[in-house]
PDB file of all heavy atoms in Angstrom:
ATOM      1  N   ALA A   8      97.519 149.700  71.623  1.00  0.00           N
ATOM      2  CA  ALA A   8      98.190 148.521  71.310  1.00  0.00           C
ATOM      3  C   ALA A   8      99.715 148.609  71.851  1.00  0.00           C
ATOM      4  O   ALA A   8     100.328 149.562  71.612  1.00  0.00           O
ATOM      5  CB  ALA A   8      98.180 148.229  69.801  1.00  0.00           C
ATOM      6  N   ASN A  10     103.540 147.295  71.701  1.00  0.00           N
ATOM      7  CA  ASN A  10     104.372 146.430  70.857  1.00  0.00           C
ATOM      8  C   ASN A  10     105.535 146.035  71.630  1.00  0.00           C
ATOM      9  O   ASN A  10     106.428 146.880  72.069  1.00  0.00           O
ATOM     10  CB  ASN A  10     104.838 147.460  69.692  1.00  0.00           C
ATOM     11  CG  ASN A  10     105.925 146.775  68.747  1.00  0.00           C
ATOM     12  OD1 ASN A  10     106.182 145.574  68.888  1.00  0.00           O
ATOM     13  ND2 ASN A  10     106.558 147.608  67.958  1.00  0.00           N
ATOM     14  N   LYS A  12     107.996 144.246  70.902  1.00  0.00           N
ATOM     15  CA  LYS A  12     109.206 144.024  70.147  1.00  0.00           C
ATOM     16  C   LYS A  12     109.921 142.743  70.611  1.00  0.00           C
ATOM     17  O   LYS A  12     109.165 141.790  71.045  1.00  0.00           O
ATOM     18  CB  LYS A  12     110.156 145.298  70.335  1.00  0.00           C
ATOM     19  CG  LYS A  12     109.423 146.600  70.030  1.00  0.00           C
ATOM     20  CD  LYS A  12     110.372 147.772  69.816  1.00  0.00           C
ATOM     21  CE  LYS A  12     109.459 149.010  69.501  1.00  0.00           C
ATOM     22  NZ  LYS A  12     110.254 150.118  69.110  1.00  0.00           N
ATOM     23  N   LEU A  94     101.243 143.890  63.190  1.00  0.00           N
ATOM     24  CA  LEU A  94     101.895 144.928  62.742  1.00  0.00           C
ATOM     25  C   LEU A  94     102.426 144.608  61.322  1.00  0.00           C
ATOM     26  O   LEU A  94     102.893 143.459  61.110  1.00  0.00           O
ATOM     27  CB  LEU A  94     103.182 145.302  63.556  1.00  0.00           C
ATOM     28  CG  LEU A  94     102.721 145.574  65.104  1.00  0.00           C
ATOM     29  CD1 LEU A  94     104.126 146.021  65.758  1.00  0.00           C
ATOM     30  CD2 LEU A  94     101.730 146.590  65.222  1.00  0.00           C
ATOM     31  N   HIS A  97     106.636 147.924  60.238  1.00  0.00           N
ATOM     32  CA  HIS A  97     107.194 148.673  61.409  1.00  0.00           C
ATOM     33  C   HIS A  97     108.645 149.145  60.794  1.00  0.00           C
ATOM     34  O   HIS A  97     109.280 148.440  60.070  1.00  0.00           O
ATOM     35  CB  HIS A  97     107.418 147.719  62.603  1.00  0.00           C
ATOM     36  CG  HIS A  97     107.902 148.665  63.770  1.00  0.00           C
ATOM     37  ND1 HIS A  97     109.098 149.088  63.951  1.00  0.00           N
ATOM     38  CD2 HIS A  97     107.076 149.162  64.777  1.00  0.00           C
ATOM     39  CE1 HIS A  97     109.212 149.681  65.059  1.00  0.00           C
ATOM     40  NE2 HIS A  97     107.944 149.860  65.583  1.00  0.00           N
ATOM     41  N   SER A  98     109.028 150.372  61.167  1.00  0.00           N
ATOM     42  CA  SER A  98     110.230 150.978  60.678  1.00  0.00           C
ATOM     43  C   SER A  98     111.407 150.131  61.010  1.00  0.00           C
ATOM     44  O   SER A  98     112.475 150.167  60.341  1.00  0.00           O
ATOM     45  CB  SER A  98     110.449 152.408  61.313  1.00  0.00           C
ATOM     46  OG  SER A  98     110.627 152.313  62.659  1.00  0.00           O
ATOM     47  N   GLU A  99     111.391 149.339  62.062  1.00  0.00           N
ATOM     48  CA  GLU A  99     112.503 148.421  62.387  1.00  0.00           C
ATOM     49  C   GLU A  99     112.574 147.290  61.373  1.00  0.00           C
ATOM     50  O   GLU A  99     113.709 146.826  60.997  1.00  0.00           O
ATOM     51  CB  GLU A  99     112.420 147.901  63.832  1.00  0.00           C
ATOM     52  CG  GLU A  99     112.804 149.045  64.819  1.00  0.00           C
ATOM     53  CD  GLU A  99     112.028 148.939  66.203  1.00  0.00           C
ATOM     54  OE1 GLU A  99     111.510 147.869  66.498  1.00  0.00           O
ATOM     55  OE2 GLU A  99     112.039 149.979  66.797  1.00  0.00           O
ATOM     56  N   CYS A 128     102.306 150.257  59.607  1.00  0.00           N
ATOM     57  CA  CYS A 128     103.025 151.298  60.101  1.00  0.00           C
ATOM     58  C   CYS A 128     103.723 152.162  59.091  1.00  0.00           C
ATOM     59  O   CYS A 128     104.328 151.704  58.102  1.00  0.00           O
ATOM     60  CB  CYS A 128     104.187 150.697  60.947  1.00  0.00           C
ATOM     61  SG  CYS A 128     103.484 149.608  62.281  1.00  0.00           S
ATOM     62  N   GLU A 168     104.152 156.441  62.845  1.00  0.00           N
ATOM     63  CA  GLU A 168     105.302 156.264  63.789  1.00  0.00           C
ATOM     64  C   GLU A 168     106.523 157.043  63.156  1.00  0.00           C
ATOM     65  O   GLU A 168     107.236 156.506  62.446  1.00  0.00           O
ATOM     66  CB  GLU A 168     105.744 154.876  64.100  1.00  0.00           C
ATOM     67  CG  GLU A 168     104.619 154.087  64.781  1.00  0.00           C
ATOM     68  CD  GLU A 168     105.189 152.955  65.648  1.00  0.00           C
ATOM     69  OE1 GLU A 168     105.961 152.038  65.122  1.00  0.00           O
ATOM     70  OE2 GLU A 168     104.831 152.839  66.804  1.00  0.00           O
ATOM     71  N   ALA A 172     111.160 159.471  66.507  1.00  0.00           N
ATOM     72  CA  ALA A 172     110.429 159.491  67.791  1.00  0.00           C
ATOM     73  C   ALA A 172     110.471 158.024  68.480  1.00  0.00           C
ATOM     74  O   ALA A 172     110.076 157.947  69.625  1.00  0.00           O
ATOM     75  CB  ALA A 172     109.017 159.956  67.686  1.00  0.00           C
ATOM     76  N   ILE A 173     110.758 157.077  67.691  1.00  0.00           N
ATOM     77  CA  ILE A 173     110.718 155.743  68.273  1.00  0.00           C
ATOM     78  C   ILE A 173     111.825 155.318  69.117  1.00  0.00           C
ATOM     79  O   ILE A 173     113.057 155.456  68.759  1.00  0.00           O
ATOM     80  CB  ILE A 173     110.629 154.692  67.052  1.00  0.00           C
ATOM     81  CG1 ILE A 173     109.384 154.842  66.197  1.00  0.00           C
ATOM     82  CG2 ILE A 173     110.737 153.215  67.626  1.00  0.00           C
ATOM     83  CD1 ILE A 173     109.250 153.936  65.065  1.00  0.00           C
ATOM     84  N   GLY A 174     111.515 155.084  70.418  1.00  0.00           N
ATOM     85  CA  GLY A 174     112.534 154.690  71.341  1.00  0.00           C
ATOM     86  C   GLY A 174     113.533 155.762  71.780  1.00  0.00           C
ATOM     87  O   GLY A 174     114.655 155.524  72.396  1.00  0.00           O
ATOM     88  N   THR A 175     113.229 157.009  71.338  1.00  0.00           N
ATOM     89  CA  THR A 175     114.109 158.065  71.534  1.00  0.00           C
ATOM     90  C   THR A 175     113.836 159.006  72.696  1.00  0.00           C
ATOM     91  O   THR A 175     114.553 159.920  73.092  1.00  0.00           O
ATOM     92  CB  THR A 175     114.315 159.012  70.310  1.00  0.00           C
ATOM     93  OG1 THR A 175     113.057 159.473  70.015  1.00  0.00           O
ATOM     94  CG2 THR A 175     114.814 158.186  69.160  1.00  0.00           C
ATOM     95  N   GLY A 176     112.509 158.978  73.089  1.00  0.00           N
ATOM     96  CA  GLY A 176     112.080 159.813  74.137  1.00  0.00           C
ATOM     97  C   GLY A 176     111.698 161.142  73.543  1.00  0.00           C
ATOM     98  O   GLY A 176     111.145 162.111  74.280  1.00  0.00           O
ATOM     99  N   GLY A 210     102.521 156.469  67.145  1.00  0.00           N
ATOM    100  CA  GLY A 210     103.523 155.698  67.955  1.00  0.00           C
ATOM    101  C   GLY A 210     104.786 156.476  67.956  1.00  0.00           C
ATOM    102  O   GLY A 210     105.095 157.062  66.973  1.00  0.00           O
ATOM    103  N   GLY A 211     105.614 156.261  68.956  1.00  0.00           N
ATOM    104  CA  GLY A 211     107.023 156.904  69.056  1.00  0.00           C
ATOM    105  C   GLY A 211     107.032 157.629  70.322  1.00  0.00           C
ATOM    106  O   GLY A 211     106.509 158.804  70.580  1.00  0.00           O
ATOM    107  N   SER A 212     107.532 156.948  71.276  1.00  0.00           N
ATOM    108  CA  SER A 212     107.803 157.554  72.725  1.00  0.00           C
ATOM    109  C   SER A 212     106.444 158.076  73.287  1.00  0.00           C
ATOM    110  O   SER A 212     106.458 158.991  74.023  1.00  0.00           O
ATOM    111  CB  SER A 212     108.915 158.685  72.687  1.00  0.00           C
ATOM    112  OG  SER A 212     110.097 158.057  72.235  1.00  0.00           O
ATOM    113  N   MET A 213     105.355 157.441  73.008  1.00  0.00           N
ATOM    114  CA  MET A 213     104.153 157.759  73.689  1.00  0.00           C
ATOM    115  C   MET A 213     104.269 157.135  75.140  1.00  0.00           C
ATOM    116  O   MET A 213     104.766 155.991  75.299  1.00  0.00           O
ATOM    117  CB  MET A 213     102.848 157.058  73.102  1.00  0.00           C
ATOM    118  CG  MET A 213     101.572 157.722  73.703  1.00  0.00           C
ATOM    119  SD  MET A 213     100.167 156.916  73.040  1.00  0.00           S
ATOM    120  CE  MET A 213      99.572 158.073  71.738  1.00  0.00           C
ATOM    121  N   ASN A 214     103.885 157.957  76.189  1.00  0.00           N
ATOM    122  CA  ASN A 214     104.089 157.522  77.477  1.00  0.00           C
ATOM    123  C   ASN A 214     102.951 158.018  78.463  1.00  0.00           C
ATOM    124  O   ASN A 214     102.053 158.615  77.915  1.00  0.00           O
ATOM    125  CB  ASN A 214     105.453 157.816  78.068  1.00  0.00           C
ATOM    126  CG  ASN A 214     105.655 159.341  78.008  1.00  0.00           C
ATOM    127  OD1 ASN A 214     104.806 160.135  78.235  1.00  0.00           O
ATOM    128  ND2 ASN A 214     106.929 159.783  77.668  1.00  0.00           N
ATOM    129  N   LEU A 231     100.423 153.221  69.543  1.00  0.00           N
ATOM    130  CA  LEU A 231     101.112 152.011  69.389  1.00  0.00           C
ATOM    131  C   LEU A 231     102.343 152.285  70.362  1.00  0.00           C
ATOM    132  O   LEU A 231     103.159 153.248  70.082  1.00  0.00           O
ATOM    133  CB  LEU A 231     101.636 151.729  67.972  1.00  0.00           C
ATOM    134  CG  LEU A 231     102.414 150.546  67.714  1.00  0.00           C
ATOM    135  CD1 LEU A 231     101.742 149.198  68.200  1.00  0.00           C
ATOM    136  CD2 LEU A 231     102.782 150.303  66.242  1.00  0.00           C
ATOM    137  N   ILE A 232     102.378 151.468  71.402  1.00  0.00           N
ATOM    138  CA  ILE A 232     103.245 151.759  72.539  1.00  0.00           C
ATOM    139  C   ILE A 232     104.412 150.726  72.536  1.00  0.00           C
ATOM    140  O   ILE A 232     104.181 149.509  72.622  1.00  0.00           O
ATOM    141  CB  ILE A 232     102.506 151.751  73.911  1.00  0.00           C
ATOM    142  CG1 ILE A 232     101.078 152.254  73.751  1.00  0.00           C
ATOM    143  CG2 ILE A 232     103.236 152.447  74.952  1.00  0.00           C
ATOM    144  CD1 ILE A 232     100.916 153.683  73.424  1.00  0.00           C
ATOM    145  N   GLY A 233     105.655 151.152  72.539  1.00  0.00           N
ATOM    146  CA  GLY A 233     106.725 150.311  72.648  1.00  0.00           C
ATOM    147  C   GLY A 233     107.265 150.126  74.101  1.00  0.00           C
ATOM    148  O   GLY A 233     106.636 149.461  74.884  1.00  0.00           O
ATOM    149  N   GLY A 234     108.212 150.962  74.549  1.00  0.00           N
ATOM    150  CA  GLY A 234     108.861 150.906  75.873  1.00  0.00           C
ATOM    151  C   GLY A 234     107.898 150.954  76.899  1.00  0.00           C
ATOM    152  O   GLY A 234     108.000 150.179  77.946  1.00  0.00           O
ATOM    153  N   ALA A 235     106.862 151.832  76.855  1.00  0.00           N
ATOM    154  CA  ALA A 235     105.994 151.944  78.016  1.00  0.00           C
ATOM    155  C   ALA A 235     104.962 150.863  78.072  1.00  0.00           C
ATOM    156  O   ALA A 235     104.274 150.671  79.136  1.00  0.00           O
ATOM    157  CB  ALA A 235     105.264 153.286  77.814  1.00  0.00           C
ATOM    158  N   ALA A 236     104.883 149.973  77.091  1.00  0.00           N
ATOM    159  CA  ALA A 236     104.020 148.833  77.118  1.00  0.00           C
ATOM    160  C   ALA A 236     104.551 147.796  78.066  1.00  0.00           C
ATOM    161  O   ALA A 236     103.954 146.767  78.360  1.00  0.00           O
ATOM    162  CB  ALA A 236     103.629 148.407  75.839  1.00  0.00           C
TER     163      ALA A 236
HETATM  164  P1  PGA B 301     108.431 153.413  71.625  1.00  0.00           P
HETATM  165  O1  PGA B 301     108.176 152.397  70.289  1.00  0.00           O
HETATM  166  O2  PGA B 301     107.112 153.671  72.288  1.00  0.00           O
HETATM  167  O3  PGA B 301     109.353 152.620  72.434  1.00  0.00           O
HETATM  168  O4  PGA B 301     108.896 154.668  71.048  1.00  0.00           O
HETATM  169  C1  PGA B 301     107.058 152.471  69.525  1.00  0.00           C
HETATM  170  C2  PGA B 301     107.098 151.469  68.395  1.00  0.00           C
HETATM  171  O5  PGA B 301     108.143 151.266  67.883  1.00  0.00           O
HETATM  172  O6  PGA B 301     106.085 150.822  68.101  1.00  0.00           O
END
Side-chain angles (χ1 to χ4, degrees):
N10 172 13
K12 309 194 180 189
L94 308 183
H97 190 280
S98 65
E99 286 149 19
C128 303
E168 298 205 306
I173 294 177
T175 57
S212 297
M213 190 186 266
N214 58 39
L231 181 56
I232 324 292

